[in-house]
Amino acid sequence: IRTLGTVLTNLCKTNRTRNAAVLVNIMREKGCRLDSFSYNLLLEGFCKEHQIDAAYEVVDQMAKDGCLPDAITCSIIVNHLCKNGQLNAASRLLKSMGKMCVPNVAAYTAIVECLCKASKVMDAEEALSEMMRKGCTPDVIIYTTLMYGHCKAGNLDRAFELFSEMEQKGCVADMVVYNVLLSGLFKAGKLVRACRFMQQMVERKFAPNVVSCNALMDYLCKAGNVKHAYTLLTWMTKGGCFPDVITYNTLMNGHCKAGEKEVAFSLMDEMILKGFCPT
RNA sequence: ACAGUAGGCUCGAUA
């Protein structure tokens, strides 16, 4: 029974949810009842594979088995609705779920992210306040998401304000928040501030990683500085940040736009040699 | 009490 959970996890995470579902049916016939963990695994798996009908069947089956959807079940559904452009449906579900279970941060985060990507940052702010009014404590992830929205809208001041607010509330900053702010600075063309910020990151024991380097590289390319971007490739490796597919994409794109097709092609070869698949 | 489930960052492609 305990291994069943592990098997299901593996199947669902490798796009073989269908197989997991078959397994579950067999187990059920043998009189084995699933818990919400397992149902959530199936639900998430089907959602990821865009097998919406199958996903609904899971929810039905769950009800038939007398297993109540929990906060995680709801957040899985809300998240997938958001990611598939069904924001309204997602908000409605979130509202109705408030009656069944405690509103939860993950579901709100999905909503906030969706609003931010649609450039509706004010609505995103409102979603966060609503969540707090309902007694749910914001965490570092939802703050990061909202900060991302403000950076995207070019409102760095608000992003940094939220950063302090977050720390005052005792949320511990992680690498992702730092990267959101950093790339916000780059996107706004604030190179000097960005460099100072990277210093602070180092002081706080969050030395820039590949994602940070990629953001810098993109900035350099877009600022027409492909030469420097290219040298960053070796520097980052020396600093212990190993280039990934995105690094190469960024560089190749930069060189193409700068009319340096040969360099772009040699980068392509280099990346294939390193075992990366071009996207 | 100690297996397994949900949400956030960098390029590009899609709309």
Side-chain angles (χ1 to χ4, degrees), chain A residues 18-31:
Chain A
R18 199 88 255 173
N19 303 16
V22 171
L23 182 58
V24 162
N25 283 330
I26 295 172
M27 294 306 280
R28 189 183 299 108
E29 277 163 23
K30 304 210 177 204

Side-chain angles (χ1 to χ4, degrees), chain A residues 166-181:
Chain A
M166 180 191 93
E167 293 204 303
Q168 272 162 24
K169 293 203 178 173
C171 292
V172 183
D174 63 10
M175 198 60 208
V176 179
V177 209
Y178 284 113
N179 278 333
V180 166
L181 290 172

Side-chain angles (χ1 to χ4, degrees), chain A residues 110-148:
Chain A
I111 301 266
V112 167
E113 186 197 7
C114 192
L115 288 167
C116 288
K117 297 224 152 119
S119 300
K120 296 180 177 170
V121 202
M122 288 311 156
D123 293 349
E125 285 268 6
E126 174 48 33
L128 176 61
S129 331
E130 180 191 299
M131 185 191 86
M132 298 199 304
R133 263 183 268 122
K134 294 197 175 165
C136 183
T137 313
D139 64 7
V140 58
I141 300 188
I142 196 160
Y143 269 115
T144 308
T145 310
L146 187 54
M147 286 161 59
Y148 164 86

Side-chain angles (χ1 to χ4, degrees), chain A residues 242-270:
Chain A
F242 298 100
D244 60 8
V245 205
I246 296 187
T247 315
Y248 281 102
N249 276 348
T250 310
L251 256 190
M252 292 188 320
N253 190 27
H255 280 85
C256 285
K257 294 231 162 95
E260 312 234 22
K261 298 237 192 305
E262 320 73 29
V263 187
F265 278 117
S266 77
L267 282 165
M268 169 94 99
D269 295 337
E270 185 179 325

Side-chain angles (χ1 to χ4, degrees), chain A residues 1-11 23 27 38 41:
Chain A
I1 277 289
R2 180 164 281 231
T3 52
L4 176 64
T6 314
V7 172
L8 290 180
T9 310
N10 285 323
L11 289 174
L23 182 58
M27 294 306 280
S38 310
L41 276 168

Side-chain angles (χ1 to χ4, degrees), chain A residues 131-228:
Chain A
M131 185 191 86
M132 298 199 304
R133 263 183 268 122
K134 294 197 175 165
C136 183
T137 313
D139 64 7
V140 58
I141 300 188
I142 196 160
Y143 269 115
T144 308
T145 310
L146 187 54
M147 286 161 59
Y148 164 86
H150 282 294
C151 288
K152 188 169 167 316
N155 192 351
L156 292 174
D157 291 342
R158 179 61 182 147
F160 277 91
E161 192 176 275
L162 282 166
F163 183 67
S164 342
E165 181 183 317
M166 180 191 93
E167 293 204 303
Q168 272 162 24
K169 293 203 178 173
C171 292
V172 183
D174 63 10
M175 198 60 208
V176 179
V177 209
Y178 284 113
N179 278 333
V180 166
L181 290 172
L182 182 64
S183 68
L185 289 168
F186 283 131
K187 289 245 157 68
K190 310 265 183 209
L191 182 58
V192 184
R193 249 184 104 185
C195 291
R196 272 208 308 267
F197 191 70
M198 287 170 85
Q199 281 300 326
Q200 289 176 25
M201 287 170 63
V202 175
E203 284 159 16
R204 295 190 178 211
K205 308 287 177 223
F206 283 98
N209 63 6
V210 216
V211 175
S212 330
C213 289
N214 290 342
L216 170 57
M217 187 164 290
D218 183 54
Y219 165 80
L220 291 171
C221 287
K222 295 203 166 129
N225 228 330
V226 282
K227 293 274 174 286
H228 281 110

